Amino acid sequence: MTTDVTNTQNAFQMAIRMAVRAPAMMIGAAVMAIRINPTLSTVFIVVIPILAVCLFLIMSNAHPRFGIMMEKYDALNTSVQENLTGIRVVKAFVREDYEMRKFNDSADQVRKAQLRAEKLVILNSPVMQLCMYGCILAVLWFGGNMVVAGTFQVGKLSSFISYVMQTLTSLMMLSMVIMMFTISMASMRRICEVLDEVPEIGEVSQPVMEVKDGSIEYKDVSFSYSKDPSNLTLQHINLSIKSGETIGIIGGTGSAKSTLVQLIPRLYDITSGQLLVGGVDVREYQEEALRNAVSMVLQKNVLFSGTIRDNLKWGDENASDEEIIEACKAADAYEFIQSFPYGLDTDLGQGGVNVSGGQKQRLCIARALLKKPKILILDDSTSAVDTATDARIRAAFREKLSDTTTLIIAQRITSVQDADKVIVLNDGQIDDFGTPAELMERNQIYREVYQQQQKGARE
Ligand SMILES: Nc1ncnc2c1ncn2[C@@H]1O[C@H](COP(=O)(O)OP(=O)(O)O)[C@@H](O)[C@H]1O
Ligand SMILES: [Mg+2]
């Protein structure tokens, strides 16, 4: 996108004045030339079509080649970006040489593609010059003969030549404008592709603007990422969660835990069934209203470059320092923030590289808390913190978030054992739903996970 926008910008900046001036000059000069000597002006009639056809052939062939060049640019940019963001992995796997070769390859491909396109475009200038000087030669020849015959004055001939030159230079400028537009057209098309993308998730005409409470109800919900009803990731989910409850979700990897909760803020639309939040179908809400009420700490978390305070204010841009500190305390993040020399003003670096995995998770929880949501979803958000910290965070939630419906996806049984109810997911289906004590009693998966983790803890 950056390359594309720069291309378009440059072309526009350079071409916009020429695009207005060149045609005006061309028409003006041509009219003057015709007024001086209409017969001699017929040279235009011969030269201009030849020139136009040549230019058209050059440009129409160059256009797709520039498209290919931009695609090669993409590969180059991807390679650079991946190498920078993944530099630690590249080093850890000693892949520098390989990545270097990959970069050289893609740089070489860009060079070749650009050469192929430019080879055509440079024909522009010789064709132009040939026509221009051919034209002047013809004017001198025929005009000279007229002067010799006494039907044309030398002074008139020299001003005629000036006008011819002016017409043809303007034509040359115009061809440059066309050339620049050809080059940037490939870029513009790609920008438009992004701008014209219609989001799949739309709003109804009169959306509900407020989420009443944090109750959630799944009514026979099925979901498929590919919209293919024969390949369902979630199958016939029926669940009823009251506002304010704390719900644990456990299940093996790939059992669709993340998928289940992503449907609540409508990150994806369900394939069939009905999903109610606060008693209203999620599709009836205004998108912003729904997402403001649902705070989500994702499994793959992202912090942005900027200070800790900037990042936390994503939750609430008007948050005061007191509110920020309170949220940090609840997420058990305040202590380590204070240990940094700049506290909340510590710069996080791109993607939050300056903090540990567990610290990052806690900052993300604090950010989610600042939104003061009706529903809080934690998708494996305490996997990188130790069990004691995990317990402190849960205790703070119980105290401060008693009205908030909290959904906690966890690998550790200890993280869900003081929840009101626990969902056991297995392969996209609900295996069981009940209080931790009930599940201990009757659910095999739950008991197995519990026993394994207990054994692990004892060893
Ligand atoms: N964006 C996606 N597109 C297609 N399939 C996906 C996507 N995300 C997850 N899946 C598939 O859906 C299934 C459930 O994934 P997920 O909900 O992430 O499981 P969990 O969080 O329980 O580990 C997996 O089989 C996974 O391959
Ligand atoms: Mg997951």
Side-chain angles (χ1 to χ4, degrees):
M1 272 307 255
T2 319
T3 319
D4 284 332
V5 170
T6 312
N7 269 347
T8 314
Q9 206 172 15
N10 285 345
F12 189 74
Q13 246 170 18
M14 288 176 64
I16 185 71
R17 272 166 47 211
M18 281 196 220
V20 178
R21 201 170 50 185
M25 293 285 259
M26 196 176 82
I27 294 169
V31 168
M32 290 306 285
I34 292 167
R35 273 183 53 184
I36 293 176
N37 194 331
T39 332
L40 208 48
S41 301
T42 40
V43 282
F44 287 144
I45 299 175
V46 180
V47 173
I48 290 180
I50 297 179
L51 198 59
V53 169
C54 290
L55 288 182
F56 175 77
L57 284 178
I58 294 174
M59 295 311 165
S60 56
N61 282 306
H63 183 61
R65 295 189 181 190
F66 278 108
I68 295 174
M69 181 187 93
M70 296 314 292
E71 272 164 31
K72 301 287 180 200
Y73 250 118
D74 283 349
L76 181 73
N77 284 339
T78 313
S79 155
V80 172
Q81 196 200 358
E82 269 183 1
N83 271 318
L84 287 179
T85 47
I87 189 140
R88 292 177 195 182
V89 182
V90 173
K91 285 187 176 175
F93 283 82
V94 205
R95 298 283 274 182
E96 285 101 328
D97 283 345
Y98 171 79
E99 290 296 332
M100 206 101 88
R101 268 203 308 280
K102 203 166 87 181
F103 173 80
N104 281 337
D105 275 356
S106 29
D108 203 43
Q109 295 222 356
V110 173
R111 185 180 64 82
K112 283 192 186 130
Q114 185 154 13
L115 217 56
R116 247 187 101 229
E118 299 280 359
K119 255 188 207 159
L120 266 183
V121 171
I122 51 167
L123 288 179
N124 202 19
S125 169
V127 167
M128 202 57 228
Q129 306 248 342
L130 193 71
C131 289
M132 191 157 151
Y133 291 111
C135 200
I136 288 171
L137 271 181
V139 168
L140 280 176
W141 174 259
F142 293 115
N145 276 339
M146 286 177 185
V147 171
V148 172
T151 51
F152 199 31
Q153 290 167 1
V154 179
K156 287 249 170 93
L157 178 63
S158 79
S159 51
F160 187 85
I161 289 176
S162 304
Y163 286 127
V164 170
M165 290 278 270
Q166 187 58 259
T167 313
L168 294 176
T169 7
S170 305
L171 199 62
M172 186 146 83
M173 285 214 286
L174 204 61
S175 79
M176 263 169 64
V177 171
I178 297 175
M179 183 181 74
M180 276 191 268
F181 271 120
T182 314
I183 299 177
S184 64
M185 196 94 94
S187 291
M188 279 192 251
R189 203 192 57 230
R190 284 149 45 98
I191 295 172
C192 288
E193 247 170 56
V194 177
L195 292 180
D196 292 345
E197 182 74 34
V198 184
E200 249 176 55
I201 293 184
E203 262 175 25
V204 292
S205 55
Q206 282 185 323
V208 181
M209 302 298 282
E210 211 201 325
V211 179
K212 206 165 81 254
D213 59 34
S215 65
I216 303 164
E217 197 169 351
Y218 288 79
K219 284 186 182 164
D220 199 32
V221 169
S222 295
F223 173 76
S224 158
Y225 279 104
S226 55
K227 300 269 165 251
D228 169 15
S230 65
N231 178 19
L232 292 176
T233 306
L234 280 173
Q235 297 162 36
H236 307 289
I237 302 289
N238 282 295
L239 264 181
S240 178
I241 297 167
K242 288 196 215 55
S243 186
E245 277 186 327
T246 299
I247 304 292
I249 302 174
I250 62 163
T253 46
S255 60
K257 302 183 295 295
S258 300
T259 309
L260 182 78
V261 295
Q262 276 172 22
L263 302 177
I264 299 171
R266 217 179 155 204
L267 296 185
Y268 294 97
D269 260 340
I270 56 179
T271 309
S272 70
Q274 209 184 13
L275 174 57
L276 309 176
V277 169
V280 177
D281 192 309
V282 284
R283 284 168 290 201
E284 306 272 313
Y285 282 114
Q286 188 208 27
E287 202 178 283
E288 198 182 326
L290 176 69
R291 291 190 184 157
N292 267 336
V294 181
S295 211
M296 191 152 175
V297 183
L298 294 166
Q299 193 165 19
K300 288 192 208 94
N301 254 313
V302 183
L303 290 170
F304 293 84
S305 51
T307 63
I308 292 182
R309 183 186 278 107
D310 294 340
N311 268 283
L312 295 179
K313 280 194 171 179
W314 273 65
D316 175 7
E317 54 184 330
N318 302 318
S320 66
D321 269 12
E322 286 75 49
E323 286 172 304
I324 292 181
I325 289 171
E326 199 188 339
C328 289
K329 279 184 179 158
D332 205 43
Y334 190 55
E335 214 169 299
F336 76 80
I337 292 175
Q338 266 190 324
S339 73
F340 295 153
Y342 298 105
L344 282 173
D345 293 310
T346 307
D347 196 74
L348 283 176
Q350 193 174 14
V353 286
N354 301 347
V355 287
S356 80
Q359 289 171 340
K360 194 166 156 183
Q361 284 188 331
R362 280 179 273 170
L363 289 177
C364 290
I365 294 176
R367 178 174 66 183
L369 288 179
L370 270 174
K371 247 167 96 172
K372 302 202 179 62
K374 296 215 162 66
I375 298 173
L376 175 67
I377 300 168
L378 304 177
D379 189 352
D380 217 1
S381 313
T382 52
S383 58
V385 303
D386 53 274
T387 30
T389 311
D390 187 14
R392 273 203 301 280
I393 295 174
R394 273 181 289 120
F397 278 8
R398 260 200 309 282
E399 191 185 326
K400 297 214 170 79
L401 298 176
S402 50
D403 301 334
T404 306
T405 313
T406 314
L407 276 75
I408 303 176
I409 296 180
Q411 298 295 334
R412 287 194 289 249
I413 286 278
T414 46
S415 304
V416 300
Q417 70 187 8
D418 46 7
D420 294 315
K421 277 180 175 170
V422 176
I423 301 167
V424 182
L425 268 182
N426 187 20
D427 206 13
Q429 282 171 315
I430 293 191
D431 190 71
D432 212 338
F433 180 48
T435 64
E438 283 167 5
L439 294 182
M440 194 66 193
E441 192 81 355
R442 66 170 188 233
N443 189 270
Q444 203 191 348
I445 297 181
Y446 187 87
R447 217 167 32 225
E448 270 170 18
V449 178
Y450 177 79
Q451 279 158 0
Q452 260 163 14
Q453 292 187 355
Q454 284 297 319
K455 211 163 69 191
R458 272 201 307 274
E459 270 165 6

